[in-house]
Amino acid sequence: MKTVRIFYEKRGRLKFVSHLDMTRFMSRLLAKSKIPVWYTEGFNQHIYMNFALPLSLGFEGLYEILEIRLTDDGYDLNKCLEALKGVAPPDIDFISVDEPVTAMKDIGFATFRLDFDEIDQGLAKSLTDFFESDSVICQKAGKKGKIKEFDIIPKICSYEINGNRLILVVVAGNEDNLNPTLIMNAFFEKTGISPPFYTVSRVAIMDKQGNLFR
Amino acid sequence: MDTKKFEALLLSVQKPGRYSGGEIGSVIKDKQEVDVRFAFCFPDTYEIGMSHLGMKILYSQFNSRDDIWCERVFAPWQDFEEVMRRENIPLFALESRDPIKEFDFIGFTLQYEMSYTNVLNMLDLAGLPVRSADRQSLSPLVVAGGPCACNPEPIADFIDLFFLGEGEEVDLELIDLYKKFKAEGKSKKEFLIEAAKIEGVYVPSLYELSYNDDGTVAQITSNNAPATVKKRIIKDLNSAFYPEQLVVPYIEIVHDRVVQEVFRGCIRGCRFCQAGFIYRPVREKSSDTVNRQAKALCENTGYDEISLSSLSTSDYREIEPLLGKLLEWTQDSHISIALPSLRIDNFSDELLEKIKHIRKSGLTFAPEAGTQRLRDVINKNLTEDEILTACKTAFAGGYTAVKLYFMLGLPTETDEDLKGIADLGQKIVNLYYDMPNRPKGKSVSVSISVSTFVPKPFTPFQFEPQIDEQEIRRRQEYLKSCITTKKISLSYHDSATSFLEGVLARGDRRLGAVLEAAFKRGCKFDSWNECFCLEKWLDAFKECEISPEFYANRLRSFDEINPWDHLDYGVTKKFLVCENRLAHEAKTTPNCREKCSGCGAACYGEGVCFENR
Ligand code: SF4
C-alpha cells in the first residue's frame, strides 16, 4: 500500500460543491477512474480519502490536495494522473499525482487571492489602514454556541494590493484557520464601506516553514 | 446573464448546488447547432426531480439526437425564487442558464397532483402567461406527461398538449412534427390539430366538456381531434432506449444511486393502486439486459449502489438469475444492491439467503389493510400467515426492524379493520419475543406508517367517495388508541393534503380556475407540509364558487361520465366496474400470471398477456 497526493484545481461551477459533497464526488470519480484505490476496512467500507484543507463554498481552489492510498505500490503515478484526467468534468483540472513530502499536520498557511471589480485609491487606503492596525477583534461562535472573541491581525501574515487584487496569506491547518470572508466582513463592518462584489481563490497551501506544501 | 453576478447571488441562498449545474453527465451543446431546445421541467426541488428515473431516460434519449438539446429545470425553492423575482432573473435551464422562454418546448412531468401549483408558478417565473390560450405563438409549446396525465383536466387550461403513457416514442414523433411545422412557419393552432393525430397525444383545447345541472359531466366532445386518445407504451423494453450515462449530482439527492428499471407494470391489480392499472400490461426486461444496463451505468457514473426498480421487484421472473449475474461483478467493485418494494408473499428462503449478502437494513412490507376481509376488498392477496412467516424468516436472518405500510379510509373500512392494524403490529412484536433464535440482546421495532387512501382515476375505486377530514382524524385517533406498546411507532400523512389530492385527482376542467386562484394566492410546493396552506386553497374554491367536496367525497354511479372517460389506458371501464363489484363482495382477482382477467390491456399485443401460463 502506498500513500499518494492528488493535486488539482477546482473552478467554475464546481465552486458550488461543498466540502462534504466533494467527498462523495471524488469517491465516484476515483471509482470511475479504475485506479487501484485502497478501501477502508470494517462495516462501512469506503475509499480512503484525506483532503489537505476544506475549501469554503463559493471559493475557487487552485492548489487543492487530496490524499489517497494505492493498493498496488508499483502503480505508475503518471498513469494515475491520466486516468483521473480521463474522467474529470470540465471544471476540475488534475495537475499532478505525487508522493507526500510533508505531513498533513505540518500545514501552516494558505494564500488567498481576492479579485475585486475595482480597487480604487480610497479602497486601497482603507484596506492598508485596516491591515496595518494593531488589532481587530472578531467574534466567532465556538463550541456549545459560546461566543469567542479573538484578534485576526496576528493571524494575517501578509497582505498585498496588486491592481484590483488583494493577496492574503493567513494561518491555516489543523490548529488554526482564518477564513478571508471573515476578514473582509470585519473590514466592511469596521469601515462602513458597503461590500462590493469580489471572488475568492485559494492559490496556495504552505507548510509551517512557509514552503509550498507538497 | 453575467456569470459573476449570478454566482454571487447563488451564494446568498441555501444549497446553491441546486441551481449551479455543471454536474458530470450533464449535456452541453452548441445552441446554434441544434434545431430543437427542450426544457425538461420537474415541478419540485432539484433533489426530488433528479431522483426520477423517467426524466433520466428522456433526458438521455433526447440528447442522443444531434438536432435536440434537452436541458433540466426544477422548481426553485422559495429563497431563490425571491432572488429571481427581485433581480428579474427569468426561469432558466441548468445547462445553458438560458431563459426557458426562448426554448421550443417546455415539458413538465406530472408525478403527483400536489405539484400543479408549481407548474403554474414555473410558467410565471419563466415570464409566460400561465394559460395556454394566452400563449399565441408556436413556441414555446408547453407539454406534459407522467401518471397524472391520465386525468389532466384540472390542469388542462395551462398545458398545450399531454402525452399519455410512456414517452420514449411519442415524444420524438411530436418533436419531428414540430420541426416540420416550425420550418414551414405554421401556427400553433395548425400544429396542435396535426399533433392530435399522433396516437398518445391529447390536445385539451380540441375537446369540450359540458356539465349537467347536478355538476356531473354531460358530454365530452371533440373538435378536429379523435373522440378518444389512447395511451402509448413501449412494447419491447429490451430494445428500447436506456441511458448509459446519468447526470450525477454533487449535492445529495433522494435516490443517490443507479436506479435500474427491471420491468414496467404490475401483475397484481391491487384495487387502490393507480400505477398498477395505468402501466399495464407488464413488460419485462431480460436479466441480461438489466445486468448489462446496470453495469454500464455503474461504470459511467461511479455510483456504488444499484437499486432495482419496478412496482414489485420480487415478481420479476428472472430475479434469481439477475442477482447471480449482478453479484458476479458488484462485489469486487464495492457496489451494493438495494431491492426496494419486495413483496413478502413470494419472499423465498433462497432469495432471502441471497439478499442477506446484499443488504441488511430495512425490512418493509405493505399489507395496506389490517384485516383479511379488507385485504380481500383491495385485492392485496396476502394473508396474515404469510406476513408472519416472512417476518419469522427475516428475524431469524438477523432483522430486528420492520416497517409496515397501511392505508386508512379504504372503501368498506370499519373500526375493526383499524384495530387489525394494531393487532398485526402486536403479533409481529410477540412473534419476535417468542423466537428462541432471535438476535441476542436486541429489541424489535415495528413502525407503522399510515397514509390516507385517495381514490384515483383508472382504478376500480375511481367511483368511491373519499372519507372526509373529520372522519379521517377520528379514525386516526381510534387507531392510535389501539396501540399499547412502545415497540410500535405510528406515523400519519397529513389529512388536508390527501383531501386536496383527492379533489385534483378526479377533478374536471372547472378546477383550472381554482388552480389559478390558488396560485395567485401564493400556493406552491403543496406537497411540502411546511408550505401547504389549506386555507388559501379553500379561499380559492370559494372565490370560484366550486365545492371541493363534490369532487372528493361523492359516490359516483357507474354510468356517470368521468372527466377522463375519453382517455383510453387499455384497461376498460367495464373491467373497473366489475372489479369494484368484486371489491364490495370482498372477492379477490387472481394476478395476471395466475389467470388473465381480461382487463383490456391485451390490446397492446405485448407483455404478460401473451406469456405462457
Ligand atoms: S389483459 Fe389479462 S394478463 Fe393482460 S394485463 Fe389485463 S388482466 Fe393482466
Side-chain angles (χ1 to χ4, degrees), chain B residues 266-267 280-282 571 575 590-593 595-603 606 608-610 613:
Chain B
C266 181
I267 58 169
R280 283 185 181 214
V282 164
V571 176
F575 175 74
N591 74 48
C592 293
R593 290 223 166 90
K595 182 176 173 284
C596 169
S597 309
C599 74
C603 65
E606 247 339 296
V608 64
C609 328
F610 301 90
R613 285 188 189 81

Side-chain angles (χ1 to χ4, degrees), chain A residues 23-78:
Chain A
T23 315
R24 255 200 324 274
F25 163 67
M26 278 296 192
S27 81
R28 283 172 196 154
L29 217 57
L30 287 165
K32 267 176 79 170
S33 74
K34 302 233 160 84
I35 296 171
V37 288
W38 181 73
Y39 281 74
T40 60
E41 272 141 25
F43 185 68
N44 184 14
Q45 301 191 354
H46 57 270
I47 299 176
Y48 167 85
M49 284 187 293
N50 188 6
F51 288 87
L53 277 181
L55 186 67
S56 299
L57 197 71
F59 288 11
E60 189 176 64
L62 302 181
Y63 192 74
E64 295 301 292
I65 306 166
L66 169 65
E67 190 175 278
I68 58 165
R69 288 177 187 158
L70 303 178
T71 50
D72 173 5
D73 282 7
Y75 196 75
D76 181 32
L77 297 188
N78 271 324

